[in-house]
Structure formats: structure tokens, C-alpha cells
Coordinates of all heavy atoms in Angstrom, one line a residue:
M113 N 25.9 -0.8 -14.4 CA 25.5 0.1 -13.4 C 24.7 -0.7 -12.4 O 23.5 -1.0 -12.5 CB 24.6 1.2 -14.0 CG 24.8 2.5 -13.4 SD 23.8 3.8 -14.2 CE 24.1 3.6 -15.9
S114 N 25.3 -1.1 -11.3 CA 24.6 -1.9 -10.3 C 23.8 -1.2 -9.3 O 22.9 -1.7 -8.8 CB 25.7 -2.8 -9.7 OG 26.6 -2.0 -9.0
N115 N 24.3 0.0 -9.0 CA 23.6 0.8 -7.9 C 23.0 2.1 -8.5 O 23.7 3.0 -8.7 CB 24.6 1.1 -6.8 CG 23.9 1.7 -5.6 OD1 22.6 1.6 -5.5 ND2 24.6 2.3 -4.7
V116 N 21.7 2.0 -8.9 CA 21.1 3.2 -9.5 C 19.9 3.7 -8.6 O 19.4 2.9 -7.9 CB 20.7 2.9 -10.9 CG1 21.8 2.6 -11.8 CG2 19.7 1.8 -11.0
Q117 N 19.6 4.9 -8.8 CA 18.5 5.5 -8.1 C 17.5 6.1 -9.1 O 17.9 7.0 -9.8 CB 19.0 6.6 -7.1 CG 17.8 7.2 -6.3 CD 18.4 8.2 -5.3 OE1 19.6 8.5 -5.2 NE2 17.5 8.9 -4.6
P118 N 16.3 5.7 -9.1 CA 15.4 6.3 -10.1 C 15.0 7.7 -9.7 O 14.8 8.0 -8.5 CB 14.1 5.3 -10.0 CG 14.3 4.6 -8.8 CD 15.7 4.6 -8.4
I119 N 14.9 8.6 -10.7 CA 14.4 9.9 -10.5 C 13.5 10.3 -11.7 O 13.5 9.6 -12.7 CB 15.6 10.9 -10.4 CG1 16.4 11.0 -11.7 CG2 16.5 10.7 -9.2 CD1 17.4 12.1 -11.8
T120 N 12.8 11.3 -11.5 CA 11.9 11.8 -12.6 C 12.4 13.2 -13.0 O 12.7 14.0 -12.2 CB 10.4 11.9 -12.2 OG1 10.0 10.6 -11.7 CG2 9.6 12.4 -13.3
I121 N 12.7 13.4 -14.3 CA 13.1 14.6 -14.8 C 12.2 15.1 -16.0 O 11.5 14.3 -16.6 CB 14.6 14.6 -15.3 CG1 14.8 13.6 -16.5 CG2 15.5 14.2 -14.2 CD1 16.1 13.7 -17.1
T122 N 12.2 16.4 -16.2 CA 11.5 16.9 -17.4 C 12.5 17.6 -18.3 O 13.3 18.4 -17.8 CB 10.4 18.0 -16.9 OG1 9.6 17.3 -15.9 CG2 9.6 18.5 -18.0
V123 N 12.5 17.3 -19.5 CA 13.4 17.8 -20.5 C 12.7 18.4 -21.7 O 11.6 18.0 -22.0 CB 14.5 16.7 -20.9 CG1 15.3 16.2 -19.7 CG2 13.8 15.6 -21.6
D124 N 13.4 19.2 -22.4 CA 12.9 19.7 -23.7 C 12.6 18.6 -24.7 O 13.4 17.6 -24.7 CB 13.9 20.7 -24.3 CG 14.0 22.0 -23.5 OD1 13.1 22.4 -22.8 OD2 15.1 22.6 -23.6
P125 N 11.6 18.7 -25.5 CA 11.3 17.6 -26.4 C 12.5 17.3 -27.3 O 12.7 16.1 -27.6 CB 10.1 18.2 -27.3 CG 9.5 19.2 -26.3 CD 10.6 19.8 -25.5
A126 N 13.2 18.3 -27.8 CA 14.4 18.0 -28.7 C 15.4 17.2 -27.9 O 16.1 16.3 -28.6 CB 15.0 19.3 -29.2
V127 N 15.6 17.4 -26.7 CA 16.6 16.6 -25.9 C 16.1 15.2 -25.7 O 16.9 14.3 -25.9 CB 16.8 17.3 -24.5 CG1 17.7 16.4 -23.6 CG2 17.4 18.7 -24.6
A128 N 14.9 15.0 -25.4 CA 14.3 13.7 -25.3 C 14.4 12.9 -26.6 O 14.8 11.7 -26.6 CB 12.8 13.7 -24.9
E129 N 14.1 13.6 -27.7 CA 14.2 12.9 -29.0 C 15.7 12.6 -29.3 O 15.9 11.5 -29.8 CB 13.6 13.8 -30.1 CG 13.7 13.2 -31.5 CD 13.0 11.9 -31.6 OE1 12.0 11.6 -30.9 OE2 13.4 11.1 -32.5
Y130 N 16.6 13.4 -29.0 CA 18.0 13.1 -29.3 C 18.4 11.9 -28.5 O 19.1 11.1 -29.0 CB 18.9 14.4 -29.0 CG 20.3 14.1 -29.4 CD1 20.7 14.2 -30.7 CD2 21.3 13.8 -28.4 CE1 22.1 14.0 -31.0 CE2 22.6 13.6 -28.7 CZ 23.0 13.7 -30.0 OH 24.3 13.4 -30.4
A131 N 18.0 11.9 -27.2 CA 18.4 10.8 -26.4 C 17.8 9.5 -27.0 O 18.5 8.4 -27.0 CB 17.9 11.0 -25.0
R132 N 16.6 9.5 -27.4 CA 16.0 8.3 -28.0 C 16.8 7.9 -29.3 O 17.0 6.7 -29.5 CB 14.5 8.5 -28.3 CG 13.6 8.5 -27.1 CD 12.2 8.4 -27.4 NE 11.7 9.7 -27.9 CZ 11.2 10.7 -27.1 NH1 11.1 10.5 -25.8 NH2 10.8 11.8 -27.7
Q133 N 17.1 8.9 -30.1 CA 17.9 8.6 -31.3 C 19.2 7.9 -31.0 O 19.7 7.0 -31.7 CB 18.1 9.9 -32.1 CG 16.9 10.4 -32.8 CD 17.1 11.8 -33.4 OE1 18.2 12.4 -33.3 NE2 16.1 12.3 -34.0
Q134 N 19.9 8.4 -29.9 CA 21.1 7.8 -29.5 C 21.0 6.3 -29.1 O 21.8 5.5 -29.4 CB 21.8 8.6 -28.4 CG 22.2 10.0 -28.8 CD 23.2 10.0 -29.9 OE1 24.4 9.5 -29.7 NE2 22.9 10.5 -31.0
V135 N 19.9 6.0 -28.5 CA 19.6 4.7 -28.1 C 19.4 3.8 -29.3 O 19.9 2.7 -29.5 CB 18.4 4.6 -27.1 CG1 18.0 3.1 -26.9 CG2 18.7 5.3 -25.8
Q136 N 18.5 4.4 -30.3 CA 18.2 3.6 -31.5 C 19.5 3.4 -32.3 O 19.6 2.4 -33.0 CB 17.2 4.4 -32.3 CG 15.8 4.4 -31.7 CD 14.8 5.3 -32.4 OE1 15.2 6.1 -33.2 NE2 13.6 5.2 -31.9
A137 N 20.4 4.3 -32.3 CA 21.7 4.2 -33.0 C 22.7 3.3 -32.3 O 23.8 3.1 -32.9 CB 22.2 5.6 -33.3
G138 N 22.3 2.9 -31.2 CA 23.3 2.0 -30.4 C 24.3 2.7 -29.6 O 25.3 2.1 -29.2
Q139 N 24.2 4.0 -29.5 CA 25.2 4.8 -28.8 C 24.9 4.8 -27.2 O 25.8 5.2 -26.5 CB 25.1 6.3 -29.2 CG 25.5 6.5 -30.7 CD 26.9 6.0 -31.0 OE1 27.8 6.2 -30.3 NE2 27.0 5.2 -32.1
A140 N 23.8 4.3 -26.8 CA 23.5 4.1 -25.4 C 22.6 2.9 -25.2 O 21.8 2.6 -26.1 CB 22.8 5.4 -24.8
R141 N 22.6 2.3 -24.0 CA 21.8 1.1 -23.8 C 20.3 1.5 -23.6 O 19.4 0.8 -23.9 CB 22.2 0.4 -22.5 CG 23.5 -0.3 -22.6 CD 23.8 -1.1 -21.4 NE 23.4 -0.5 -20.1 CZ 24.2 0.3 -19.4 NH1 25.5 0.5 -19.8 NH2 23.8 0.9 -18.3
S142 N 20.1 2.7 -23.0 CA 18.8 3.2 -22.7 C 18.8 4.7 -22.6 O 19.9 5.3 -22.5 CB 18.3 2.6 -21.4 OG 19.1 3.1 -20.3
V143 N 17.7 5.4 -22.6 CA 17.6 6.8 -22.4 C 18.2 7.1 -21.0 O 18.9 8.1 -20.9 CB 16.2 7.3 -22.5 CG1 16.0 8.8 -22.1 CG2 15.7 7.2 -24.0
S144 N 17.9 6.3 -20.0 CA 18.4 6.5 -18.7 C 20.0 6.5 -18.7 O 20.6 7.3 -18.1 CB 17.9 5.5 -17.7 OG 16.5 5.7 -17.5
A145 N 20.5 5.5 -19.4 CA 22.0 5.4 -19.5 C 22.6 6.6 -20.2 O 23.6 7.1 -19.8 CB 22.3 4.1 -20.2
W146 N 21.9 7.1 -21.3 CA 22.4 8.3 -22.0 C 22.4 9.5 -21.1 O 23.4 10.2 -21.0 CB 21.5 8.5 -23.2 CG 22.0 9.6 -24.0 CD1 23.0 9.6 -25.0 CD2 21.6 11.0 -24.0 NE1 23.2 10.8 -25.5 CE2 22.4 11.7 -24.9 CE3 20.7 11.7 -23.2 CZ2 22.3 13.1 -25.1 CZ3 20.6 13.1 -23.4 CH2 21.4 13.8 -24.3
F147 N 21.3 9.7 -20.3 CA 21.3 10.9 -19.4 C 22.3 10.7 -18.3 O 22.9 11.7 -17.9 CB 19.9 11.0 -18.8 CG 19.0 11.9 -19.7 CD1 18.1 11.3 -20.5 CD2 19.1 13.3 -19.6 CE1 17.3 12.1 -21.3 CE2 18.3 14.1 -20.4 CZ 17.4 13.5 -21.3
N148 N 22.5 9.5 -17.8 CA 23.5 9.2 -16.7 C 24.9 9.6 -17.2 O 25.7 10.2 -16.6 CB 23.4 7.8 -16.2 CG 24.2 7.6 -15.0 OD1 23.9 8.2 -14.0 ND2 25.2 6.8 -15.0
A149 N 25.2 9.2 -18.5 CA 26.5 9.5 -19.1 C 26.7 11.0 -19.2 O 27.7 11.5 -18.9 CB 26.7 8.7 -20.4
A150 N 25.6 11.6 -19.7 CA 25.7 13.1 -19.9 C 25.9 13.8 -18.6 O 26.7 14.7 -18.5 CB 24.4 13.6 -20.6
A151 N 25.2 13.4 -17.6 CA 25.3 14.0 -16.2 C 26.7 13.7 -15.6 O 27.3 14.6 -15.0 CB 24.2 13.5 -15.3
T152 N 27.2 12.5 -15.9 CA 28.5 12.2 -15.4 C 29.6 13.0 -16.0 O 30.5 13.5 -15.4 CB 28.8 10.7 -15.6 OG1 27.8 9.9 -14.9 CG2 30.2 10.3 -15.1
R153 N 29.5 13.3 -17.3 CA 30.4 14.1 -18.1 C 30.4 15.5 -17.5 O 31.4 16.2 -17.3 CB 30.1 14.1 -19.6 CG 30.6 12.9 -20.3 CD 30.6 13.1 -21.8 NE 29.2 13.4 -22.3 CZ 28.3 12.4 -22.6 NH1 28.6 11.1 -22.4 NH2 27.1 12.8 -23.0
Q154 N 29.2 16.1 -17.3 CA 29.0 17.4 -16.7 C 29.6 17.5 -15.3 O 30.3 18.5 -15.0 CB 27.6 17.8 -16.7 CG 27.4 19.3 -16.3 CD 28.0 20.3 -17.2 OE1 27.8 20.2 -18.4 NE2 28.9 21.2 -16.7
M155 N 29.4 16.5 -14.5 CA 29.9 16.5 -13.2 C 31.4 16.5 -13.2 O 32.1 17.3 -12.4 CB 29.4 15.2 -12.5 CG 29.7 15.1 -11.0 SD 28.9 13.8 -10.1 CE 29.5 12.4 -11.1
E156 N 32.1 15.8 -14.1 CA 33.5 15.8 -14.2 C 34.0 17.1 -14.7 O 35.0 17.6 -14.2 CB 34.0 14.7 -15.2 CG 35.5 14.6 -15.3 CD 36.2 14.3 -14.0 OE1 35.7 13.7 -13.1 OE2 37.4 14.8 -13.9
L157 N 33.3 17.7 -15.7 CA 33.7 19.1 -16.2 C 33.6 20.1 -15.0 O 34.5 20.9 -14.9 CB 32.8 19.5 -17.3 CG 33.1 18.8 -18.6 CD1 32.0 19.2 -19.7 CD2 34.5 19.2 -19.2
D158 N 32.6 20.0 -14.2 CA 32.4 20.9 -13.1 C 33.6 20.7 -12.1 O 34.1 21.7 -11.6 CB 31.1 20.7 -12.4 CG 29.9 21.1 -13.2 OD1 30.1 21.8 -14.2 OD2 28.8 20.8 -12.8
R159 N 33.9 19.5 -11.8 CA 35.0 19.2 -10.9 C 36.3 19.7 -11.4 O 37.1 20.3 -10.7 CB 35.1 17.7 -10.6 CG 33.9 17.2 -9.7 CD 34.0 15.8 -9.4 NE 33.0 15.3 -8.6 CZ 32.5 14.1 -8.5 NH1 33.1 13.1 -9.2 NH2 31.5 13.8 -7.7
Q160 N 36.6 19.5 -12.7 CA 37.8 20.0 -13.3 C 37.8 21.6 -13.3 O 38.9 22.1 -13.0 CB 37.9 19.6 -14.8 CG 38.2 18.1 -14.9 CD 38.1 17.6 -16.3 OE1 37.9 18.4 -17.3 NE2 38.4 16.3 -16.5
G161 N 36.7 22.2 -13.5 CA 36.7 23.7 -13.5 C 36.9 24.2 -12.1 O 37.6 25.1 -11.8
D162 N 36.3 23.5 -11.1 CA 36.5 23.9 -9.7 C 38.0 23.7 -9.3 O 38.5 24.6 -8.6 CB 35.6 23.0 -8.7 CG 34.1 23.4 -8.9 OD1 33.8 24.4 -9.5 OD2 33.3 22.5 -8.4
A163 N 38.6 22.6 -9.7 CA 40.0 22.4 -9.4 C 40.9 23.4 -10.0 O 41.8 23.9 -9.4 CB 40.4 21.0 -9.8
A164 N 40.6 23.7 -11.3 CA 41.4 24.7 -12.0 C 41.3 26.1 -11.3 O 42.2 26.8 -11.2 CB 41.0 24.8 -13.5
F165 N 40.0 26.5 -10.9 CA 39.8 27.7 -10.3 C 40.6 27.8 -8.9 O 41.2 28.8 -8.6 CB 38.3 28.0 -10.0 CG 38.1 29.3 -9.3 CD1 38.0 30.5 -10.1 CD2 37.9 29.3 -8.0 CE1 37.8 31.7 -9.4 CE2 37.7 30.6 -7.3 CZ 37.6 31.7 -8.1
A166 N 40.5 26.7 -8.2 CA 41.2 26.6 -6.9 C 42.7 26.7 -7.1 O 43.4 27.4 -6.3 CB 40.8 25.3 -6.2
A167 N 43.2 26.1 -8.1 CA 44.7 26.1 -8.4 C 45.1 27.6 -8.8 O 46.1 28.1 -8.3 CB 45.1 25.1 -9.5
A168 N 44.3 28.2 -9.6 CA 44.6 29.6 -10.0 C 44.5 30.5 -8.8 O 45.3 31.4 -8.7 CB 43.6 30.0 -11.1
A169 N 43.5 30.3 -8.0 CA 43.4 31.2 -6.8 C 44.6 31.0 -5.9 O 45.1 32.0 -5.3 CB 42.1 30.9 -6.1
A170 N 45.0 29.8 -5.7 CA 46.2 29.5 -4.9 C 47.4 30.1 -5.5 O 48.3 30.7 -4.7 CB 46.4 28.0 -4.7
R171 N 47.6 30.0 -6.8 CA 48.8 30.7 -7.4 C 48.7 32.2 -7.2 O 49.7 32.8 -6.9 CB 48.8 30.3 -8.9 CG 49.4 28.9 -9.2 CD 49.7 28.7 -10.7 NE 48.6 29.1 -11.6 CZ 47.6 28.2 -11.9 NH1 47.6 27.0 -11.4 NH2 46.6 28.6 -12.7
A172 N 47.5 32.7 -7.4 CA 47.4 34.2 -7.3 C 47.7 34.6 -5.8 O 48.3 35.6 -5.6 CB 46.0 34.6 -7.7
A173 N 47.2 33.8 -4.9 CA 47.4 34.2 -3.5 C 48.9 34.1 -3.1 O 49.4 34.8 -2.2 CB 46.6 33.3 -2.6
A174 N 49.6 33.2 -3.8 CA 51.0 33.0 -3.5 C 51.9 34.0 -4.2 O 53.1 34.1 -3.9 CB 51.5 31.6 -3.9
T175 N 51.4 34.8 -5.2 CA 52.1 35.7 -5.9 C 51.7 37.1 -5.7 O 50.5 37.5 -6.1 CB 52.0 35.4 -7.4 OG1 52.3 34.0 -7.7 CG2 53.0 36.3 -8.3
P176 N 52.4 37.9 -5.0 CA 52.0 39.3 -4.7 C 51.6 40.1 -5.9 O 52.3 40.1 -6.9 CB 53.2 39.9 -4.0 CG 54.1 38.8 -3.5 CD 53.8 37.7 -4.5
G177 N 50.5 40.8 -5.8 CA 50.1 41.7 -6.9 C 49.3 41.1 -8.0 O 48.7 41.8 -8.8
V178 N 49.2 39.8 -8.1 CA 48.5 39.1 -9.1 C 47.0 39.5 -9.1 O 46.4 39.8 -10.1 CB 48.7 37.6 -9.1 CG1 47.7 36.9 -10.0 CG2 50.1 37.2 -9.5
A179 N 46.4 39.4 -7.9 CA 45.0 39.7 -7.8 C 44.7 41.1 -8.2 O 43.7 41.4 -8.9 CB 44.5 39.4 -6.4
E180 N 45.5 42.0 -7.8 CA 45.3 43.4 -8.1 C 45.4 43.7 -9.6 O 44.6 44.4 -10.2 CB 46.3 44.3 -7.3 CG 46.1 44.4 -5.8 CD 46.7 43.2 -5.1 OE1 47.5 42.4 -5.7 OE2 46.4 43.0 -3.9
R181 N 46.4 43.1 -10.2 CA 46.6 43.2 -11.7 C 45.4 42.6 -12.4 O 44.9 43.2 -13.4 CB 47.9 42.5 -12.2 CG 49.1 43.3 -11.8 CD 50.4 42.8 -12.6 NE 50.7 41.4 -12.3 CZ 51.4 41.0 -11.3 NH1 51.8 41.8 -10.4 NH2 51.6 39.7 -11.2
A182 N 44.9 41.5 -11.9 CA 43.7 40.8 -12.6 C 42.5 41.7 -12.4 O 41.7 41.9 -13.4 CB 43.5 39.5 -12.0
A183 N 42.3 42.3 -11.3 CA 41.2 43.2 -11.0 C 41.3 44.4 -12.0 O 40.3 44.9 -12.5 CB 41.1 43.7 -9.6
R184 N 42.5 45.0 -12.1 CA 42.6 46.2 -13.0 C 42.3 45.8 -14.5 O 41.7 46.5 -15.2 CB 44.1 46.7 -12.9 CG 44.3 47.6 -11.6 CD 45.6 48.4 -11.7 NE 46.8 47.6 -12.1 CZ 47.5 47.0 -11.2 NH1 47.3 47.0 -9.9 NH2 48.6 46.3 -11.5
R185 N 42.8 44.6 -14.9 CA 42.6 44.1 -16.2 C 41.1 43.9 -16.5 O 40.5 44.2 -17.5 CB 43.4 42.9 -16.5 CG 44.8 43.1 -16.7 CD 45.6 41.9 -16.9 NE 47.0 42.1 -17.0 CZ 48.0 41.3 -16.6 NH1 47.6 40.0 -16.2 NH2 49.2 41.6 -16.7
A186 N 40.4 43.3 -15.5 CA 39.0 43.1 -15.6 C 38.2 44.4 -15.7 O 37.3 44.5 -16.5 CB 38.5 42.2 -14.4
A187 N 38.6 45.3 -14.9 CA 37.9 46.7 -14.9 C 38.1 47.3 -16.3 O 37.2 47.9 -16.9 CB 38.4 47.5 -13.8
K188 N 39.4 47.2 -16.8 CA 39.6 47.8 -18.1 C 38.8 47.1 -19.2 O 38.2 47.8 -20.1 CB 41.1 47.7 -18.4 CG 41.5 48.3 -19.8 CD 43.0 48.2 -20.0 CE 43.4 48.9 -21.4 NZ 44.8 48.8 -21.6
A189 N 38.8 45.8 -19.1 CA 38.0 45.1 -20.1 C 36.5 45.5 -20.1 O 35.9 45.7 -21.1 CB 38.1 43.6 -19.9
K190 N 36.0 45.6 -18.9 CA 34.6 46.1 -18.7 C 34.4 47.4 -19.3 O 33.4 47.7 -20.0 CB 34.2 46.1 -17.3 CG 33.9 44.8 -16.7 CD 33.4 44.9 -15.2 CE 33.1 43.5 -14.6 NZ 32.7 43.7 -13.2
R191 N 35.3 48.4 -19.1 CA 35.2 49.7 -19.7 C 35.2 49.6 -21.2 O 34.5 50.3 -21.9 CB 36.3 50.6 -19.1 CG 36.1 51.1 -17.7 CD 37.1 52.2 -17.4 NE 38.5 51.9 -17.6 CZ 39.3 51.2 -16.8 NH1 38.8 50.8 -15.6 NH2 40.6 51.0 -17.1
L192 N 36.2 48.8 -21.7 CA 36.3 48.7 -23.2 C 35.1 48.1 -23.8 O 34.7 48.4 -24.9 CB 37.6 47.9 -23.5 CG 38.9 48.6 -23.2 CD1 40.0 47.6 -23.4 CD2 39.1 49.8 -24.1
L193 N 34.5 47.2 -23.1 CA 33.3 46.5 -23.6 C 32.0 47.3 -23.3 O 30.9 46.9 -23.7 CB 33.2 45.1 -23.1 CG 34.3 44.2 -23.5 CD1 34.2 42.9 -22.7 CD2 34.3 43.9 -25.0
G194 N 32.1 48.4 -22.6 CA 31.0 49.2 -22.3 C 30.1 48.6 -21.2 O 28.9 49.0 -21.1
A195 N 30.7 47.7 -20.4 CA 29.9 47.1 -19.3 C 30.2 47.7 -18.0 O 29.7 47.3 -17.0 CB 30.2 45.6 -19.3
G196 N 31.0 48.7 -17.9 CA 31.4 49.3 -16.6 C 31.5 50.7 -16.7 O 31.7 51.7 -16.5

């Protein structure tokens, strides 16, 4: 990691301890490296989710009636679950 930017974060004690354990077990070079890897994984998951949502929205927009059917199904699910 040649280009890093220091930041200060506050985490739950259990998270801090787990990160330290991962370093002690040789799973990460440092606590900073462990957090960087975790944040990088989350960033990739977010990007994949955003891309999947965009693709689904594009498919729905290209297919007449899909959005309306999805809205009806969501409303029915809410009614069945007592949320609507």
C-alpha cells in the first residue's frame, strides 16, 4: 500500500479486539491493513449491489408492466406480513 491516508476511527471494543487477533494470527499485517481490507470488501459489495440494482431497473424499464407487477407483489407481501 504505497499511497495511504491516515484517519481516526472509533470502533466497538469487540471489533478492535478481533482486528488485533487477526494481526496476531498473521491474517493481516496491521490493524490498519485489516480495516482497509474490510472497507475495501464493503466498497466492492456496495458497487456490485448498485450495479445489480441499476441492471434490474434497466430491465424493468425495458419490459412493459414489470414495475407495476413488482409494486403489486410488494404491496401484497406487505399486507401478508402485516406491514401495510
Side-chain angles (χ1 to χ4, degrees):
M113 217 180 310
S114 60
N115 187 16
V116 296
Q117 179 179 0
I119 61 171
T120 301
I121 62 171
T122 303
V123 299
D124 291 332
V127 174
E129 180 58 28
Y130 184 77
R132 285 190 287 271
Q133 288 172 357
Q134 292 300 295
V135 173
Q136 290 172 352
Q139 299 299 315
R141 289 187 322 268
S142 65
V143 170
S144 292
W146 185 85
F147 273 99
N148 193 61
T152 299
R153 281 191 302 274
Q154 185 62 52
M155 189 170 56
E156 183 57 30
L157 286 173
D158 290 348
R159 288 179 178 158
Q160 290 173 0
D162 291 346
F165 180 83
R171 284 191 306 274
T175 308
V178 169
E180 292 81 11
R181 285 193 303 276
R184 285 193 306 272
R185 289 177 182 151
K188 182 178 179 179
K190 283 183 178 180
R191 283 192 308 276
L192 290 172
L193 295 172

